[in-house]
Amino acid sequence: MPSSEFFYHCTCGGLLDIVHDFRGYDAEYLKRLFKERLSERMTPYASGVWRYKELIFPELSDEHIVTKYEGNTGLYASELIEKYTGLKRVSVKAQSENPSGSFKDNGMTVAVSHGKSLGYENFTCTSTGNTSSSLAMYASIANANSYVFVPDKDISMNKVLQTLAYGANVFSFSGTYDDGIQFLEKHSNELGLYVCNSINPFRIEGQKSIIYEIAQYLDWELPEWIIVPGGALSNATALGKGLYDLYSLGLINKIPRVAIVQAKGASPFHKMVNEEKKELTPEPFPKTRASALNIGNPPSWKKALQTLKQTDGITISVTDEEILDAKAIVDKSGIGCEPASAATIAGLRHLVSKQIIDKEESALCILTGNLLKDTDNLRYYHLENNPCTSFKNTIQYSNLTLYNISKKIIGKNT
Ligand SMILES: *Cc1c(COP(=O)(O)O)cnc(C)c1O
């Protein structure tokens, strides 16, 4: 049994938030400390999350840290992406390179470490797939059990299979992600389950590390815009919070503007902001091919609103066609991502073409999930939807024919 039960909501009904006392921290000291830790290997500080432990969860003793050296992901520029978005200075942060293949690892390492430190052995989440694969991975590393609740429709099978493979107990239910959240809010305490969804404030603390790492890699000078996809809006929340930390600690001297991109078929937050409404109206039947964004009632919308306020941020929505076209560009660039991540590239292209972002400005897109997370969409885009490909009707050639055809095609390209 856990030594103390953990609750996610305040008595006012809102989500809990973690507030640190950063007084006494000196920016130069922190920069030096974080730099020294870049040479760590087999200690928790080799992680791209725990490197910044002082800003995330300073009270946790190192023996409780459950880590897979998450973070430490690449930051890339690409000519293809520059051309596609129309921006000269654009880069991407590939959170897709995390151990379970998505940025969820940045938050999950902290949530599972916290739960273990309280004595929990049973962890849970509801998920469109990435949260569950991340949880299942960390629970197994921690010798704990995971119980995950996955909607039976509009999810990527790759993610569910990955979750099963790590050893999770998977419950499939008929309903949406939003129904799953409601179920856990009601029953998790009674079942003795530690909830690892983004209503858990420790997830948010861990996800702040994404922007810390970007800032450190760029020598504490951030681009003018950071573009992030919005589903449950935990990533957008953590981004705003992390930026505010960096600024108030004096680690950066200017806060970039944030653009949150939603998929048109699941864009309640964008609609609320766009129509200047005070409250979010949930969408009961969200529908997008970007399964990680298929959320109609994002739990963190109030916190994400804070991000917009603190960063002079904006929102935008993009169609599934725009998302898949942008994804094809990211994939072809050699970086690769899943559909939800490519919403950032599609959104940036839109914002540049509408001149909301000037061609001379700089931007960074956060790529949230791995190319192999969603092979259904790859099949759909490259094999079913694309008339140029002949892969679908592959014919067996003789060696000589194969040689002649390939010579022709390769000759054309050189
Ligand atoms: C979870 C997820 C998102 C959405 O992030 P939120 O914090 O829910 O807004 C986007 N892309 C991928 C790949 C994800 O796994």
Side-chain angles (χ1 to χ4, degrees), residues 102-104 130 229-235 292-293 295 338 340-341 368-369:
S102 86
F103 82 89
K104 299 299 195 302
N130 280 339
L233 297 169
S234 77
N235 205 9
L293 304 182
I295 292 172
E338 70 166 274
S341 318
T368 44

Side-chain angles (χ1 to χ4, degrees), residues 279-291:
E279 291 280 322
L280 182 130
T281 311
E283 292 178 0
F285 306 108
K287 187 85 186 160
T288 167
R289 292 193 78 93
S291 57

Side-chain angles (χ1 to χ4, degrees), residues 95-96 101-104 127-131 159 177 198 203-204 207 228-238 260-262 290-295 298-300 304 337-344 366-370 373:
Q95 291 308 107
S96 45
S102 86
F103 82 89
K104 299 299 195 302
S127 170
T128 61
N130 280 339
T131 303
K159 300 177 186 178
Y177 167 90
S198 55
R203 280 262 318 273
I204 305 288
Q207 286 170 199
V228 66
L233 297 169
S234 77
N235 205 9
T237 296
I260 301 174
V261 188
Q262 292 206 293
S291 57
L293 304 182
N294 205 32
I295 292 172
S300 294
C337 68
E338 70 166 274
S341 318
T344 57
I366 297 179
L367 299 181
T368 44
N370 191 282
K373 282 284 194 175

Side-chain angles (χ1 to χ4, degrees), residues 63-128:
E63 80 207 73
H64 287 302
I65 292 179
V66 182
T67 180
K68 216 179 166 201
Y69 310 113
E70 50 289 313
N72 295 311
T73 58
L75 209 158
Y76 307 107
S78 144
E79 262 179 46
L80 264 185
I81 294 174
E82 285 162 24
K83 272 207 198 96
Y84 191 71
T85 56
L87 215 58
K88 282 196 280 290
R89 290 181 296 149
V90 54
S91 52
V92 299
K93 175 69 167 162
Q95 291 308 107
S96 45
E97 293 173 352
N98 262 303
S100 86
S102 86
F103 82 89
K104 299 299 195 302
D105 294 348
N106 292 68
M108 200 58 74
T109 176
V110 182
V112 171
S113 299
H114 172 250
K116 275 295 271 191
S117 76
L118 293 183
Y120 278 91
E121 291 298 333
N122 294 325
F123 292 77
T124 190
C125 72
T126 187
S127 170
T128 61

Side-chain angles (χ1 to χ4, degrees), residues 178 182 266-269 271-272 279-286 295-298 301:
D178 309 300
Q182 271 181 24
S267 52
F269 186 67
K271 284 195 190 112
M272 177 189 77
E279 291 280 322
L280 182 130
T281 311
E283 292 178 0
F285 306 108
I295 292 172
N297 190 11
W301 69 266

Side-chain angles (χ1 to χ4, degrees), residues 121 146 248 315 357 408:
E121 291 298 333
S146 56
S248 52
T315 64
I357 295 184
K408 224 192 224 158

